[in-house]
Amino acid sequence: INGTLEKDINLDIARKLDGGAFPSEFQVVAGSELYAEKVGKALKEFGIPFYTERKKSVSELPLYALLSYVFDIILMKPSNDMVANYIKSFCFVKNESIYHFENFIYSSGLKGWQIMSQKGMDYLKENAWNFDYSKEKEISEVYERVIMPLVKLKENLRKYDNAEDFSKLLYGFFEEIDLINVMTSVAEEFEKDGDRISAVQYVQVYNAFTEILERCAIILKNEKLSFRDYKNILFENLTEKNISSLPLELESVYICDTASVATGVFSYVYLLSADDSLTEASGSEGFIDENDRKLLRERDIELSLSPEAKKTEELLKIFTLLTYEKKELYISYSAFNSKGEEAMPSD
């Protein structure tokens, strides 16, 4: 956007609003975050209410970090850093208690794998260098609330070799550490601070995670697999899962990217950056490569879309966007790409 297109769009929207249209009749499909930001800024200058879809990948939220540390500890010989990162990845207990346990990890002389063993708190106290008994209550609290559930999970996982049992054990682990109430408390803090979007996303991410656990359990119910393979499948689904935000005003102009296009509900649509990049596949293969996907499909197992399939899905949305009945459709494309080369309109 060169500084005039976004103003032209907003002038056009303003004229239509003056003519009796409602803000909720307009959709602007931006080709990039920069385009969305510029259009939003111009709308704000015009005093027109708007809503920019702010989807977040589950991988951007704390639950993903927590899961990463959990799987690292289960699949590897845990180091002191891994245990410290795990206890800090979520506020299970008071921050002060976590601080004392972190100090214990690095000052005890114990290794991470010893702390994560089944020998219990008495063993840790007896074998630690100069155990600080003045902080015993805080250290024991974190151990019982955070460490022991993961120790039990790691031991129980060794007994099974299928996704259904893996999913059940993980779900039970998160129930034991009371994750849903922890995340709800964090969401309430965001709500108090006026950040309603983050509050909604924190509640949604737990629901998304349990939905993926259930999906893996059902689809892979009769498949024998290692916990490492299960982890790759689970993370593949998590990384492609996006959590939507909610508009603060329902009567608003809707700004989104090509992945968040809504069809059939807007009278006026503006499609920006309809150039070659619109049809190019993007993204890496993730945790599961195309050969693995092919093997899974041969066994009638389809867990997640490949980058090419995701792009095809987006293009179908764009095709539907272009063809459904509406009052007006505006399409633009950049004359030059980010490298200064001449750009072509998308086929």
Side-chain angles (χ1 to χ4, degrees), residues 5 269-275 278 322 329-333 345-346:
L5 178 59
V269 174
Y270 304 80
L271 176 59
L272 311 184
S273 191
D275 50 39
L278 191 68
L322 297 176
L329 169 67
Y330 298 82
I331 301 175
S332 74
Y333 71 93
S346 171

Side-chain angles (χ1 to χ4, degrees), residues 2-231:
N2 59 14
T4 58
L5 178 59
E6 70 269 27
K7 291 182 180 178
D8 290 342
I9 290 172
N10 286 281
L11 281 169
D12 188 64
I13 292 174
R15 282 195 293 267
K16 289 178 170 57
L17 292 174
D18 289 341
F22 296 98
S24 57
E25 292 185 77
F26 297 86
Q27 176 175 222
V28 179
V29 183
S32 69
E33 288 185 16
L34 177 62
Y35 285 13
E37 183 181 338
K38 284 180 173 289
V39 171
K41 185 177 179 181
L43 283 168
K44 189 174 182 179
E45 290 176 358
F46 276 77
I48 299 171
F50 67 94
Y51 164 65
T52 302
E53 172 61 88
R54 287 202 290 156
K55 282 189 176 181
K56 274 190 178 180
S57 167
V58 170
S59 61
E60 298 177 61
L61 297 166
L63 178 61
Y64 190 88
L66 171 63
L67 277 173
S68 297
Y69 296 130
V70 166
F71 279 101
D72 285 347
I73 289 172
I74 290 171
L75 292 169
M76 294 185 274
K77 190 174 183 178
S79 66
N80 293 64
D81 287 342
M82 288 165 63
V83 178
N85 287 333
Y86 163 61
I87 67 168
K88 292 188 297 183
S89 62
F90 222 88
C91 298
F92 298 101
V93 289
K94 297 176 187 175
N95 287 335
E96 186 178 347
S97 297
I98 291 178
Y99 169 76
H100 291 311
F101 197 91
E102 184 182 9
N103 280 345
F104 167 72
I105 291 172
Y106 291 113
S107 64
S108 65
L110 297 168
K111 302 296 184 183
W113 60 268
Q114 291 175 297
I115 296 171
M116 296 305 303
S117 71
Q118 298 185 71
K119 295 181 179 180
M121 192 65 216
D122 289 339
Y123 166 82
L124 299 184
K125 287 189 290 185
E126 291 169 5
N127 290 274
W129 297 340
N130 302 317
F131 182 79
D132 186 356
Y133 281 91
S134 68
K135 306 301 180 189
E136 181 178 4
K137 181 180 178 182
E138 290 86 349
I139 293 171
S140 296
E141 178 187 10
V142 176
Y143 183 81
E144 294 299 327
R145 178 95 183 270
V146 183
I147 300 297
M148 274 309 297
L150 184 51
V151 170
K152 289 190 288 185
L153 173 65
K154 186 171 183 176
E155 183 62 25
N156 288 331
L157 285 169
R158 294 174 180 169
K159 305 172 186 176
Y160 301 97
D161 61 357
N162 65 84
E164 183 177 17
D165 288 316
F166 292 156
S167 293
K168 286 178 181 178
L169 288 171
L170 274 174
Y171 186 78
F173 165 71
F174 285 116
E175 279 195 321
E176 190 169 357
I177 63 174
D178 201 24
L179 184 61
I180 180 61
N181 286 327
V182 172
M183 297 191 74
T184 300
S185 297
V186 175
E188 288 172 354
E189 290 300 315
F190 278 118
E191 190 80 46
K192 287 178 186 176
D193 293 339
D195 189 351
R196 185 179 168 219
I197 289 176
S198 292
V200 170
Q201 287 175 331
Y202 264 69
V203 174
Q204 285 184 333
V205 71
Y206 182 83
N207 295 333
F209 172 67
T210 53
E211 177 188 313
I212 290 170
L213 279 184
E214 184 178 14
R215 177 177 169 80
C216 287
I218 293 172
I219 295 177
L220 296 170
K221 184 173 183 178
N222 299 317
E223 298 292 325
K224 285 191 175 184
L225 74 166
S226 69
F227 189 67
R228 187 177 297 277
D229 289 338
Y230 172 81
K231 173 246 183 181

Side-chain angles (χ1 to χ4, degrees), residues 253-264:
V253 174
Y254 179 58
I255 304 173
C256 65
D257 58 17
T258 54
S260 305
V261 165
T263 58

